[in-house]
């Protein structure tokens, strides 16, 4: 009786893994502010202590995709008209802040006195990624006792950084 035995290597392949390193880049967008282009404060008599009114909707859209908070600032020129100019007693209050997108942490707004130097008016303490917020500020201009009847004009400059 002959018994045959065949020994050989298996033709079965062993799977060998190799990692694939995969990366991608997110490109951040821009930081922009959009204030209303013109506003009319409520009319008042020359003997009034002040005039005030809404400036219209201001929106900050932050598409940078970062954690560095932004700061919205405003400055004011002198208000000129038929009487003495008004360069002091100009107050900006952002009022209620509406969070449109994202989760920024924004402290309650307070009235800020404006001058020709930009002053912070809205500043989140923290942000994460893209965010959009809006507010409808009120401007109050204190009038000197020597104010004369007529049209007074000043310019506010609104910026974000």
């Amino acid at each position: 009786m002959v018994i045959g035995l065949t020994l050989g290597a298996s033709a079965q392949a062993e799977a060998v893994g190799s990692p694939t390193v995969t990366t991608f880049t997110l490109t951040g967008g821009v930081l922009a502010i959009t204030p209303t282009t013109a506003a009319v404060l409520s009319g008042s008599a020359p003997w009034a202590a002040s005039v005030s009114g809404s400036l219209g909707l201001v929106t900050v859209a932050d598409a940078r995709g970062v954690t560095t908070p932004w700061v919205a600032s405003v400055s004011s020129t002198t208000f000129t008209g038929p009487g003495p100019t008004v360069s002091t007693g100009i107050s900006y209050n952002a009022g209620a802040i509406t969070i449109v997108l994202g989760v920024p942490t924004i402290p309650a707004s307070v009235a800020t006195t404006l001058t020709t130097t930009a002053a912070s008016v809205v500043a989140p303490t923290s942000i994460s990624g893209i965010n959009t917020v809006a507010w409808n500020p009120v401007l109050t201009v204190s009038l000197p006792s020597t104010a004369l009847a007529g049209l007074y004009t000043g310019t506010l400059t609104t910026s974000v950084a």
Side-chain angles (χ1 to χ4, degrees):
M1 176 174 348
V2 177
I3 297 180
L5 181 59
T6 305
L7 296 175
S10 168
Q12 188 174 18
E14 183 177 316
V16 176
S18 179
T20 301
V21 177
T22 306
T23 63
F24 62 90
T25 301
L26 295 177
T27 302
V30 298
L31 174 63
I33 192 162
T34 309
T36 302
T37 57
V40 177
L41 304 182
S42 62
S44 190
W47 56 84
S50 64
V51 294
S52 65
S54 170
L55 296 176
L57 193 64
V58 176
T59 302
V60 170
D62 181 2
R64 298 174 300 161
V66 298
T67 58
T68 305
W70 46 263
V71 176
S73 301
V74 177
S75 63
S76 175
T77 64
T78 298
F79 281 78
T80 59
T85 61
V86 179
S87 59
T88 61
I90 303 167
S91 176
Y92 181 104
N93 191 330
I97 310 291
T98 301
I99 297 172
V100 179
L101 178 67
V103 289
T105 303
I106 302 175
S109 66
V110 295
T112 303
T113 300
L114 299 183
T115 65
T116 56
T117 302
S120 171
V121 293
V122 176
T125 55
S126 68
I127 63 170
S128 181
I130 61 172
N131 61 92
T132 300
V133 301
W135 63 92
N136 190 355
V138 171
L139 188 73
T140 301
V141 179
S142 297
L143 299 174
S145 61
T146 55
L148 299 176
L151 178 66
Y152 287 78
T153 303
T155 300
L156 300 182
T157 301
T158 307
S159 61
V160 67

